[in-house]
Amino acid sequence: MELRFDMQYEDAYRELYEIVKPKYKLFTAGPVACFPEVLAIMSVQMFSHRSAEAKEVHVDTLNRLKALLEADKGEIILFPSSGTGFMEAAVRNTIPYGGKVLVTVIGAFGKRFAEVVNTNGRKAVVFEKEPGKAIKPEELDEVLKKNPDVEAVTITYNETSTGVLNPLPELAKVVKEHDKLLFVDAVSAMGGADIKFDKWGIDLIFASSQKAFGVPPGLAVAAVSERVFEIAEKMPERGWYFDLPLYKKFNEKKKGTPSTPPLPQIFGLNVVLRIIEKMGGKKTWLEMYRKRSEMIREGVKEMGLGILAEPGYESPTITAVVVPEGMKGVDVYNAMRERGFELAKGYGSVAEKTFRIGNMGYMTFDDIREMLDNLREVIEKLKA
């Protein structure tokens, strides 16, 4: 979708457009294809982030996210960053220097959380499963019994590298039974998988704009518990840019953020939240994601390909596909790109034997059928 304006220096625009113009149908891990309505609202001329209009949009966006995440008791925070910023915020705002955090790892992004913990002067106690496997409640309970001195637990709700959806409600229950803080990476889950912040007893859950919401990157969102703020208020050297109590104060007093926010992304997210409402609400929206992912999994299975995620724990937003012996995932990726489809390469320790198909953002079921038809031809050709 190309948006047009009256431009004095259209040649400058044209020079760059030739590089970045859409060439592929996107089935990526993110950034993903954006809804036309999102691209349209993001094209409006800028204005002050301290204006009455910006404040109105900020508050409305917070309220809509609060409803989507079922976080009546939580505070919605918007960061001008990627979702990774909330990893650092969670650690610096609540864990004392040298304190321990149990980091559950089911793929590459769980490992990133461990890196964030360690590089911020805290200690990550890692519990790792092999790629494709989810964390089970009884396993988490056992690990917490062995490590009673950890102050928090991190869970990757949906592991983007392996296409596994962790059983968050059950895992959250275990964490609460041990009275630990619960931090949830929902970067590729929020907007595509159900979240009940209050009911599940989550302390901080975060995501990014460029995944299931179908908005360009640059905005991170989170729901944060009152318990986190109580701890953070007393935490020394928690930093400034990711100071959670500071953001809460600005929500209340300024109806905005401490530093300049990415207004276009906030506008885009607000439009998506309105689209969800007009589609019939959260249930209808999540059902759309379920049908998309199911259609993709059934399609690749019909081709004789494997699914990395163990049965019953498949992601609703991205599928890691296991290629046959003698084939490389990157070869499938490259062949599909030649046909005009941008999938996602395998990632982390399973990079060579997998490729990934994302179903986030703007796409139709006809797009999925077309992609699967082309993938079938590519697989047959590579097998020959």
Side-chain angles (χ1 to χ4, degrees), residues 37-57:
E37 297 85 352
V38 167
L39 298 178
I41 195 64
M42 290 183 69
S43 72
V44 301
Q45 189 56 273
M46 286 293 91
F47 49 84
S48 171
H49 64 294
R50 300 298 182 208
S51 66
E53 293 82 2
K55 291 179 179 180
E56 181 180 352
V57 174

Side-chain angles (χ1 to χ4, degrees), residues 174-186:
V174 173
V175 174
K176 292 298 102 177
E177 288 172 351
H178 286 265
D179 194 28
K180 308 298 181 183
L181 289 167
L182 174 58
F183 305 146
V184 180
D185 172 351

Side-chain angles (χ1 to χ4, degrees), residues 225-260:
S225 73
E226 187 57 37
R227 183 183 182 188
V228 166
F229 291 112
E230 290 173 358
I231 296 171
E233 289 284 5
K234 303 172 185 177
M235 189 62 57
E237 299 180 4
R238 61 179 181 264
W240 190 90
Y241 194 76
F242 295 135
D243 181 344
L244 290 173
L246 180 63
Y247 276 79
K248 183 181 180 184
K249 290 173 185 174
F250 266 74
N251 274 351
E252 296 168 351
K253 297 180 178 180
K254 298 287 188 179
K255 296 181 174 59
T257 53
S259 57
T260 308

Side-chain angles (χ1 to χ4, degrees), residues 164-280:
V164 173
L165 185 76
N166 262 320
L168 182 56
E170 292 85 354
L171 297 177
K173 184 174 183 292
V174 173
V175 174
K176 292 298 102 177
E177 288 172 351
H178 286 265
D179 194 28
K180 308 298 181 183
L181 289 167
L182 174 58
F183 305 146
V184 180
D185 172 351
V187 168
S188 61
M190 189 181 292
D194 196 14
I195 293 172
K196 299 182 186 297
F197 181 84
D198 293 341
K199 182 177 180 180
W200 297 348
I202 299 169
D203 288 296
L204 190 151
I205 186 166
F206 63 88
S208 304
S209 54
Q210 77 276 11
K211 301 285 188 176
F213 287 122
V215 175
L219 177 68
V221 305
V224 184
S225 73
E226 187 57 37
R227 183 183 182 188
V228 166
F229 291 112
E230 290 173 358
I231 296 171
E233 289 284 5
K234 303 172 185 177
M235 189 62 57
E237 299 180 4
R238 61 179 181 264
W240 190 90
Y241 194 76
F242 295 135
D243 181 344
L244 290 173
L246 180 63
Y247 276 79
K248 183 181 180 184
K249 290 173 185 174
F250 266 74
N251 274 351
E252 296 168 351
K253 297 180 178 180
K254 298 287 188 179
K255 296 181 174 59
T257 53
S259 57
T260 308
L263 289 176
Q265 279 81 351
I266 294 175
F267 299 164
L269 176 58
N270 190 284
V271 163
V272 169
L273 295 170
R274 291 171 186 269
I275 290 173
I276 293 173
E277 180 183 312
K278 294 179 186 300
M279 278 182 59

Side-chain angles (χ1 to χ4, degrees), residues 289-351:
Y289 265 104
R290 188 195 66 78
K291 288 179 178 177
R292 284 181 182 181
S293 60
E294 190 176 75
M295 183 176 179
I296 289 170
R297 289 196 303 272
E298 289 177 354
V300 298
K301 286 178 181 177
E302 288 174 3
M303 300 174 205
L305 303 177
I307 304 296
L308 184 62
E310 61 178 310
Y313 298 92
E314 299 93 343
S315 164
T317 60
I318 190 164
T319 302
V321 183
V322 181
V323 296
E325 197 70 34
M327 190 183 297
K328 292 183 178 180
V330 69
D331 294 334
V332 178
Y333 167 83
N334 289 330
M336 287 295 286
R337 207 166 192 262
E338 291 175 2
R339 289 168 171 254
F341 296 89
E342 180 83 21
L343 307 186
K345 297 177 182 178
Y347 198 95
S349 62
V350 293

